Amino acid sequence: MRIKTDVLVIGSGIAGLRFAIEVSKFAEVYIVTKKDKAESNTNYAQGGIASVFSPDDSFELHIQDTLKTGDGLCNREAVELIVREGPVEIQKLIELGTKFSTRDNGSLDLAREGGHSKNRIVHAKDLTGREIEKALLNRISQIENIHLLENHFAIDLITEHHLPNKKTHDKIHCWGAYVYDVQKEEVHTFLAKVTLLATGGLGQAYLHTTNPSIATGDGFAMAYRAGALMANMEFIQFHPTALYEGNLLERSASPAFLISEAVRGFGAKLRLKNGEEFMHKYDPRGELAPRDIVARAIDNELKKRGEDFVYLDLTHKNPDEIKERFPNIYQKCLEKKIDITKDFIPVIPAAHYACGGVVTDLNGQTSIINLFATGEVAMTGVHGANRLASNSLLEALVFSKYAALSCKKILRENVISLPEEIPDWIDTSQLSQEEKILIAQTRHEIREILWDYVGIVRSNERLSRALKRCNLINEEVKMMYNVSKISEEILELRNLSIVAFLITYSASLRKESRGLHYNIDHPNKDDINFLKPTFVQNPSP
């Protein structure tokens, strides 16, 4: 089946939905999402959205907090854009039906998280992402020219290299994507004048992650295969405090339950098994230090002691306030026989967020003509070497708005003709689903390699070993993909193998320690040689 539309959106998190709502005012929009429409990293975001509302806060303070956390690699222009647009975007969400937590006087309840000098986290208790997603999906359902298709897995972006008589081009154009209809087991050709990648994260490349099972780096891999410029893929943020549940995580793609940054902002203390506090040894801000510092501190303490987890302690806080502020966390922990008003919470770091991705300008435009990217899959320059807590949803909102405005200009000022010779998908598979066990084993191997060798602390030897294994796996997966029947499993494995290579290769190029990238063989920052993004591009798209 061939579907022609003005705009194709790949992904149904906050970035894709915010863009679609804006674009629908002047164009027909198709949204494809690989699972249920509400299943996204947005839905798992507990903390909130950072924005300046308090009288004692300012745009400049938020900008400086972001730049400091980004460790020299932020694009100040991009940071200024999201910070100054923040209050307007929050108001837009409220107009769309989002119900944020408020104080008795009706003003927004502003929380505080690591790296922030002021209280500026707008939240909906500890389920902010779910509340925003619900409001946006409700609005989407009321718009006639938005068509949302669930269980549709984007395979590849359609570019020049799909044309039967392809020629060498200085510029690559995107004309939509090949999309796998999971339920019908058919591949459809979606032809679009403008395409937005809003596919979210890649946490499933790691053994322990807070990301849902769908976060297999699909957008990163599709863009790389198509020839898009990528950057800063080595900067993977590990959330310091995921709920430790023994070895249940080791063979599961299920997300580790996140104990929000806001819990530390609320006053929780990190303790060793013997009850000793330790964060003051690593940073004067203690538990409110940025995530990279807290995650490395926990990792160091665990390795020194040969222990599996540390504790997060809220027991000194008012029990009623805890239940009111963190109802979801309270209930989840209670299911695990942990009463957070009385008991310490066992936590470990887990892969959480990719600060790098597909390079875009301030309008979300990638290096591929008429391909935009917003949200976690994009590298806008906002996060630098480490993301400031609760800047991610803000970035997604602002850049999706500007991408929509740029899309409007493109559609109104340019006559975009889709090549007639774009072929439909040709299935050349030979094997059946009998290869599922190989796919599962290879996926687990990738996750172990990245966790063991390309994690919170790295070394030249670990990265060298990981890169050799990633290259070998990539070749094996290519051969497996070429002969396997199309399925969600093989598509995710194909994407994960590319993402693992991109992370490892980028990490091997950065011979210093900065932000989220810490290499024990290069423990210091090198501003002379590495005060710049790490760029990677597919040499043969």
Side-chain angles (χ1 to χ4, degrees):
M1 182 169 69
R2 290 169 81 90
I3 296 174
K4 285 189 178 182
T5 185
D6 295 318
V7 179
L8 174 65
V9 176
I10 304 174
S12 62
I14 188 172
L17 298 182
R18 176 70 179 90
F19 174 86
I21 290 169
E22 201 68 34
V23 167
S24 69
K25 296 172 183 176
F26 54 84
E28 181 184 43
V29 184
Y30 272 82
I31 303 173
V32 295
T33 185
K34 65 192 271 191
K35 292 288 187 183
D36 177 86
K37 60 190 176 186
E39 183 69 359
S40 65
N41 273 9
T42 297
N43 209 37
Y44 288 75
Q46 294 178 354
I49 307 177
S51 195
V52 175
F53 282 97
S54 176
D56 69 342
D57 200 0
S58 70
F59 288 153
E60 188 57 31
L61 281 174
H62 189 178
I63 290 166
Q64 288 303 322
D65 288 345
T66 302
L67 295 177
K68 185 175 182 179
T69 301
D71 212 359
L73 290 189
C74 297
N75 176 342
R76 181 175 175 120
E77 193 177 358
V79 173
E80 287 183 354
L81 179 66
I82 69 159
V83 169
R84 295 184 189 282
E85 292 279 339
V88 176
E89 283 303 304
I90 298 293
Q91 186 57 44
K92 179 68 175 178
L93 288 178
I94 293 171
E95 291 170 7
L96 288 169
T98 307
K99 293 178 174 59
F100 292 114
S101 297
T102 56
R103 296 190 179 277
D104 292 339
N105 64 5
S107 65
L108 290 168
D109 181 50
L110 302 175
R112 189 162 171 188
E113 295 179 351
H116 289 273
S117 57
K118 299 290 181 181
N119 285 34
R120 63 169 70 101
I121 312 304
V122 180
H123 62 94
K125 296 189 184 296
D126 57 350
L127 287 170
T128 308
R130 187 178 300 178
E131 174 63 23
I132 296 171
E133 184 83 2
K134 182 177 73 173
L136 293 178
L137 284 171
N138 181 59
R139 181 71 186 98
I140 289 280
S141 69
Q142 300 166 10
I143 302 175
E144 288 186 3
N145 57 329
I146 295 181
H147 315 280
L148 198 160
L149 304 178
E150 298 175 302
N151 300 304
H152 277 63
F153 195 133
I155 302 172
D156 275 319
L157 299 170
I158 297 172
T159 63
E160 276 80 358
H161 70 276
H162 288 103
L163 301 181
N165 299 310
K166 62 180 179 181
K167 299 175 183 177
T168 303
H169 293 265
D170 292 333
K171 293 285 187 179
I172 304 172
H173 297 73
C174 180
W175 297 302
Y178 291 113
V179 179
Y180 176 59
D181 183 330
V182 176
Q183 293 177 336
K184 292 184 179 178
E185 297 187 348
E186 297 173 352
V187 177
H188 304 310
T189 306
F190 280 77
L191 300 174
K193 297 173 184 176
V194 173
T195 301
L196 174 76
L197 277 179
T199 49
L202 47 69
Q204 286 296 326
Y206 283 86
L207 195 60
H208 301 288
T209 180
T210 62
N211 290 185
S213 60
I214 61 166
T216 49
D218 306 324
F220 299 86
M222 278 192 290
Y224 177 73
R225 284 195 298 268
L229 184 65
M230 316 288 290
N232 288 355
M233 292 295 292
E234 68 270 34
F235 295 117
I236 303 298
Q237 187 173 80
F238 289 79
H239 199 289
T241 53
L243 181 64
Y244 177 77
E245 298 185 63
N247 61 8
L248 295 177
L249 292 172
E250 299 215 351
R251 298 232 167 227
S252 171
S254 299
F257 183 74
L258 178 67
I259 307 297
S260 171
E261 184 105 8
V263 173
R264 282 180 284 126
F266 188 68
K269 297 293 182 181
L270 282 164
R271 299 184 185 278
L272 301 172
K273 280 189 176 180
N274 62 11
E276 177 189 339
E277 293 182 34
F278 60 89
M279 272 310 303
H280 61 278
K281 296 187 295 184
Y282 294 90
D283 193 282
R285 291 166 290 185
E287 281 76 9
L288 286 177
R291 289 175 179 174
D292 60 327
I293 295 171
V294 180
R296 273 199 303 276
I298 294 172
D299 184 72
N300 188 50
E301 293 293 337
L302 293 180
K303 285 175 177 171
K304 277 199 307 187
R305 290 169 170 73
E307 295 174 347
D308 297 324
F309 59 88
V310 296
Y311 284 117
L312 196 59
D313 172 20
L314 265 175
T315 58
H316 55 287
K317 303 294 288 186
N318 182 295
D320 292 333
E321 288 183 10
I322 293 172
K323 294 175 189 177
E324 168 64 24
R325 178 66 180 83
F326 307 109
N328 183 46
I329 294 172
Y330 175 76
Q331 188 57 44
K332 176 67 176 182
C333 289
L334 209 56
E335 292 171 9
K336 305 294 179 183
K337 312 299 183 190
I338 302 166
D339 182 344
I340 65 175
T341 66
K342 302 174 183 176
D343 306 322
F344 293 173
I345 311 167
V347 294
I348 56 167
H352 184 60
Y353 190 88
C355 289
V358 188
V359 176
T360 76
D361 64 14
L362 296 182
N363 293 313
Q365 171 70 58
T366 72
S367 61
I368 295 178
I369 295 171
N370 295 337
L371 175 68
F372 290 78
T374 58
E376 189 171 350
V377 72
M379 203 295 284
T380 64
V382 165
H383 307 307
N386 183 23
R387 175 175 69 88
L388 180 65
S390 289
N391 267 356
S392 53
L393 295 181
L394 176 63
E395 179 202 33
L397 286 167
V398 173
F399 275 88
S400 288
K401 181 178 84 171
Y402 276 89
L405 294 174
S406 183
C407 175
K408 179 179 182 179
K409 187 176 180 181
I410 289 171
L411 292 177
R412 285 190 172 178
E413 296 182 3
N414 298 284
V415 178
I416 301 173
S417 56
L418 301 170
E420 292 296 327
E421 65 270 31
I422 293 174
D424 286 330
W425 184 264
I426 300 172
D427 186 0
T428 59
S429 63
Q430 301 170 20
L431 301 182
S432 68
Q433 299 278 25
E434 294 171 3
E435 299 303 311
K436 274 193 175 182
I437 188 167
L438 287 178
I439 293 172
Q441 287 175 338
T442 307
R443 178 169 175 150
H444 184 68
E445 185 179 359
I446 289 170
R447 301 178 77 212
E448 283 193 318
I449 290 169
L450 261 66
W451 184 258
D452 290 340
Y453 298 147
V454 202
I456 297 169
V457 176
R458 302 158 180 179
S459 70
N460 289 346
E461 177 63 22
R462 291 178 203 173
L463 292 174
S464 176
R465 286 191 181 194
L467 193 55
K468 288 175 186 174
R469 292 172 73 179
C470 283
N471 281 326
L472 181 61
I473 288 171
N474 245 313
E475 291 305 311
E476 290 175 351
V477 171
K478 279 180 187 176
M479 290 189 286
M480 200 185 307
Y481 172 78
N482 287 336
V483 297
S484 293
K485 180 179 173 61
I486 290 291
S487 67
E488 294 173 272
E489 292 85 359
I490 190 63
L491 293 175
E492 288 187 336
L493 179 64
R494 180 188 184 217
N495 293 333
L496 282 170
S497 68
I498 289 174
V499 163
F501 162 76
L502 288 171
I503 295 169
T504 307
Y505 178 62
S506 299
S508 71
L509 295 177
R510 185 168 289 277
K511 308 295 186 184
E512 65 158 358
S513 290
R514 182 186 300 274
L516 299 164
H517 173 74
Y518 186 80
N519 186 329
I520 58 176
D521 294 312
H522 306 281
N524 301 312
K525 276 192 284 192
D526 179 356
D527 284 347
I528 295 174
N529 297 303
F530 293 102
L531 189 61
K532 57 187 178 183
T534 305
F535 292 109
V536 182
Q537 196 163 21
N538 186 357
S540 55

